[in-house]
Amino acid sequence: DSGVTQTPKHLITATGQRVTLRCSPRSGDLSVYWYQQSLDQGLQFLIQYYNGEERAKGNILERFSAQQFPDLHSELNLSSLELGDSALYFCASSVYLLGDTQYFGPGTRLTVL
Amino acid sequence: DQQVKQNSPSLSVQEGRISILNCDYTNSMFDYFLWYKKYPAEGPTFLISISSIKDKNEDGRFTVFLNKSAKHLSLHIVPSQPGDSAVYFCAASEANFGNEKLTFGTGTRLTIIP
């Protein structure tokens, strides 16, 4: 158990809908990262928050957004869902920034029908 | 552009023998490297890491070697056990603020044969 929790574990929805994925980092970790793992691609970085502020963006679609709250939990919002958004979404957290190990949650499997 | 490459999609090793997983990278700004192990339907589990100032790091049965001039790292598992069967991902990050994200390889599926 990494100490990172993610809910829900599974999510099935229809195209055009909006969903919210939730992540609670390990106790004491200030940095949260979101990654997407599609069938045909490896783990791809989406976005990072550090102590409530957006820090870095990867190849995140404009339909996707995220935030980190004062209690340090984070939410990833996916809207106008398309079939291609079906993937595993992982959250990771770390204490510091540079050269620090990221610990991953169990992931949320999103299926868009 | 695949900056981190794991050229072997799969590897089979006899139980008790050494497993060697390889990883190559192209971005010379990478200076922190990690190996993760992943079971189906679970998140990646951190195994071992190495900073670019070192060329070897050991933790129990796991040893990571880094060859900066060749931009190559490898993970040695010895002795290999059946529970080691999983997908192994190599990952790298830069020591630049704002670039702490991990860049992952595509993974190598390791199967330990009893």
Side-chain angles (χ1 to χ4, degrees), chain A residues 49-94:
Chain A
Y49 279 82
Y50 179 75
N51 204 18
E53 293 191 5
E54 182 184 304
R55 185 158 181 84
K57 269 186 172 180
N59 296 325
I60 187 168
L61 299 171
E62 285 191 12
R63 301 183 284 108
F64 295 2
S65 64
Q67 52 185 328
Q68 186 179 28
F69 295 86
D71 66 353
L72 300 177
H73 91 270
S74 178
E75 293 181 356
L76 179 66
N77 301 296
L78 315 176
S79 61
S80 302
L81 285 168
E82 302 175 359
L83 296 177
D85 297 329
S86 295
L88 273 165
Y89 291 85
F90 291 104
C91 166
S93 72
S94 66

Side-chain angles (χ1 to χ4, degrees), chain A residues 5-80:
Chain A
T5 61
Q6 289 186 249
T7 57
K9 193 167 178 62
H10 300 279
L11 200 47
I12 301 174
T13 188
T15 55
Q17 295 299 305
R18 172 190 169 94
V19 296
T20 297
L21 313 184
R22 182 187 168 104
C23 167
S24 292
R26 296 186 316 157
S27 177
D29 285 2
L30 299 177
S31 200
V32 169
Y33 307 77
W34 286 96
Y35 293 85
Q36 179 192 56
Q37 185 181 26
S38 305
L39 270 177
D40 58 348
Q41 292 191 10
L43 284 145
Q44 302 286 327
F45 169 71
L46 293 177
I47 196 165
Q48 176 197 2
Y49 279 82
Y50 179 75
N51 204 18
E53 293 191 5
E54 182 184 304
R55 185 158 181 84
K57 269 186 172 180
N59 296 325
I60 187 168
L61 299 171
E62 285 191 12
R63 301 183 284 108
F64 295 2
S65 64
Q67 52 185 328
Q68 186 179 28
F69 295 86
D71 66 353
L72 300 177
H73 91 270
S74 178
E75 293 181 356
L76 179 66
N77 301 296
L78 315 176
S79 61
S80 302

Side-chain angles (χ1 to χ4, degrees), chain B:
Chain B
D1 176 28
Q2 193 71 27
Q3 297 186 60
V4 178
K5 300 176 186 178
Q6 294 177 257
N7 292 319
S8 298
S10 63
L11 176 68
S12 294
V13 174
Q14 286 288 137
E15 181 179 357
R17 306 293 289 269
I18 184 171
S19 296
I20 300 176
L21 296 96
N22 294 302
C23 178
D24 297 295
Y25 62 95
T26 57
N27 186 346
S28 57
M29 299 299 290
F30 287 147
D31 66 352
Y32 187 58
F33 304 89
L34 309 91
W35 284 94
Y36 286 87
K37 173 181 178 180
K38 188 178 181 304
Y39 294 117
E42 293 185 13
T45 300
F46 169 71
L47 277 177
I48 192 168
S49 62
I50 188 167
S51 161
S52 61
I53 62 173
K54 294 185 171 183
D55 55 18
K56 177 183 174 181
N57 190 24
E58 202 169 345
D59 184 2
R61 295 186 299 115
F62 303 93
T63 303
V64 57
F65 295 91
L66 175 62
N67 182 333
K68 281 175 292 187
S69 60
K71 295 192 177 67
H72 177 84
L73 65 156
S74 61
L75 174 67
H76 293 208
I77 306 173
V78 57
S80 299
Q81 299 174 353
D84 296 331
S85 294
V87 177
Y88 288 77
F89 289 94
C90 167
S93 68
E94 300 179 25
N96 292 317
F97 285 104
N99 280 305
E100 303 92 356
K101 69 178 186 297
L102 292 176
T103 300
F104 282 86
T106 50
T108 296
R109 181 177 300 278
L110 175 64
T111 302
I112 304 302
I113 304 165

